[in-house]
């Protein structure tokens, strides 16, 4: 009996010692580097931001705000590029083979109808075609008096692609547009729709407002 009692005591003592060792050496489940509950700076938290059991996150640190800022920046860049594109589009390339400024000093005449409408669409301009005649005295008046006027030239250079043709050299176009006399100025929009025309010669002070009225 004494032998079994001794064995029982030894087993109890062994279990007790093992228990102490496990408590001392057992690793902690969580250390300071693993925080399950986020720590916020309550000193900077506005009470009004907390309602119905939740608090608003600082918008400066949210991903959504980051996206908004990025979108805003992209929009600004897009607007800037659009403005730059518009600025470039307003500048005509008169140095190409399709334009001649020797005919009337100060004006750039296009020598190709397809090119004229292509540039008109690209630069959002109207197209004006002046129908001339070989033995037309009023055509000379228009070229020498009206088309040399500085105000008329500025209006044309800023807003139009201009062409001039002799009716004898373009009979099909003259017939198609019902040109019955010269000079005749026909104005089209960038989509080749006729906006109006000026029949005959007009001095600068009449021609310029007439031209503006047609385009407006």
């Amino acid at each position: 009996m004494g032998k079994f009692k001794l064995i029982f005591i030894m087993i109890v003592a062994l279990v007790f010692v093992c228990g102490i060792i496990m408590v001392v050496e057992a690793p902690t489940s969580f250390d300071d580097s693993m925080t399950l509950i986020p720590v916020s700076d309550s000193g900077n938290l506005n009470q009004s931001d907390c309602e119905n059991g939740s608090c608003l996150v600082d918008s400066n640190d949210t991903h959504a705000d980051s996206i908004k800022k990025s979108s805003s920046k992209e929009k600004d860049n897009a607007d800037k590029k659009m403005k730059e594109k518009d600025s470039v589009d307003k500048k005509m390339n008169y140095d190409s083979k399709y334009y001649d400024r020797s005919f009337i000093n100060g004006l750039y005449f296009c020598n190709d109808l397809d090119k004229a409408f292509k540039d008109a669409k690209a630069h959002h301009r109207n197209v004006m075609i002046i129908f001339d005649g070989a033995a037309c005295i009023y055509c000379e008046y228009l070229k020498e008096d009206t088309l040399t006027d500085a105000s008329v030239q500025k209006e044309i250079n800023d807003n139009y692609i201009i062409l001039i043709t002799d009716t004898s050299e373009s009979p099909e176009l003259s017939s198609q547009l019902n040109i019955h006399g010269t000079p005749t100025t026909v104005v089209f929009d960038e989509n080749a729709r006729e906006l109006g025309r000026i029949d005959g010669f007009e001095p600068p002070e009449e021609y310029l407002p007439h031209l503006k009225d047609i385009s407006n």
Side-chain angles (χ1 to χ4, degrees), residues 176-177 185-189 191-197 214:
Q176 181 181 351
L177 296 177
T185 303
V186 186
V187 180
F188 302 86
D189 66 11
N191 297 309
R193 290 189 294 259
E194 183 176 339
L195 300 176
R197 59 180 64 194
I214 291 174

Side-chain angles (χ1 to χ4, degrees), residues 108-174:
Y108 300 87
F109 286 89
C110 185
N111 56 28
D112 185 274
L113 190 61
D114 290 337
K115 175 65 174 176
F117 279 105
K118 182 178 179 180
D119 283 352
K121 187 174 286 289
H123 299 272
H124 305 295
R125 296 188 176 203
N126 291 332
V127 173
M128 58 184 297
I129 305 176
I130 297 176
F131 288 90
D132 194 10
C136 173
I137 186 63
Y138 290 106
C139 295
E140 296 304 314
Y141 291 161
L142 183 69
K143 289 181 284 188
E144 293 177 3
D145 298 337
T146 304
L147 296 182
T148 57
D149 180 81
S151 298
V152 172
Q153 289 189 347
K154 185 178 187 310
E155 173 67 16
I156 294 173
N157 288 332
D158 288 348
N159 301 294
Y160 299 85
I161 309 293
I162 184 173
L163 304 93
I164 189 166
T165 182
D166 193 305
T167 53
S168 63
E169 295 177 356
S170 54
E172 292 183 6
L173 182 61
S174 299

Side-chain angles (χ1 to χ4, degrees), residues 17-212:
V17 171
C18 290
I20 293 175
I21 294 174
M22 290 177 66
V23 170
V24 173
E25 294 183 356
T28 57
S29 297
F30 309 108
D31 54 25
D32 291 338
S33 66
M34 181 179 281
T35 304
L36 296 183
I37 301 176
V39 177
S40 62
D41 185 359
S42 59
N44 294 330
L45 183 63
N46 189 333
Q47 189 64 31
S48 64
D49 291 337
C50 298
E51 187 176 0
N52 298 329
S54 65
C55 294
L56 296 177
V57 178
D58 185 356
S59 61
N60 291 329
D61 295 329
T62 61
H63 180 61
D65 189 67
S66 176
I67 293 176
K68 289 180 180 178
K69 287 183 178 180
S70 177
S71 299
S72 177
K73 187 175 181 180
E74 289 176 359
K75 184 178 183 300
D76 290 341
N77 289 337
D79 290 342
K80 184 178 179 181
K81 289 181 179 179
M82 183 62 70
K83 289 179 180 179
E84 290 175 351
K85 181 179 182 300
D86 289 341
S87 178
V88 171
D89 282 349
K90 290 178 181 178
K91 296 179 181 179
M92 291 289 301
N93 179 22
Y94 291 122
D95 294 330
S96 73
K97 65 180 181 179
Y98 296 102
Y99 289 92
D100 180 8
R101 61 178 178 179
S102 64
F103 186 65
I104 295 178
N105 187 37
L107 288 177
Y108 300 87
F109 286 89
C110 185
N111 56 28
D112 185 274
L113 190 61
D114 290 337
K115 175 65 174 176
F117 279 105
K118 182 178 179 180
D119 283 352
K121 187 174 286 289
H123 299 272
H124 305 295
R125 296 188 176 203
N126 291 332
V127 173
M128 58 184 297
I129 305 176
I130 297 176
F131 288 90
D132 194 10
C136 173
I137 186 63
Y138 290 106
C139 295
E140 296 304 314
Y141 291 161
L142 183 69
K143 289 181 284 188
E144 293 177 3
D145 298 337
T146 304
L147 296 182
T148 57
D149 180 81
S151 298
V152 172
Q153 289 189 347
K154 185 178 187 310
E155 173 67 16
I156 294 173
N157 288 332
D158 288 348
N159 301 294
Y160 299 85
I161 309 293
I162 184 173
L163 304 93
I164 189 166
T165 182
D166 193 305
T167 53
S168 63
E169 295 177 356
S170 54
E172 292 183 6
L173 182 61
S174 299
S175 176
Q176 181 181 351
L177 296 177
N178 297 314
I179 304 300
H180 300 296
T182 58
T184 299
T185 303
V186 186
V187 180
F188 302 86
D189 66 11
E190 62 185 60
N191 297 309
R193 290 189 294 259
E194 183 176 339
L195 300 176
R197 59 180 64 194
I198 301 174
D199 294 316
F201 162 75
E202 288 184 351
E205 61 272 16
E206 296 177 14
Y207 191 85
L208 181 58
H210 198 169
L211 193 61
K212 289 181 178 181

Side-chain angles (χ1 to χ4, degrees), residues 3-14:
K3 183 177 179 180
F4 286 108
K5 184 176 181 180
L6 179 62
I7 294 173
F8 177 76
I9 292 173
M10 290 177 65
I11 292 173
V12 171
L14 182 62

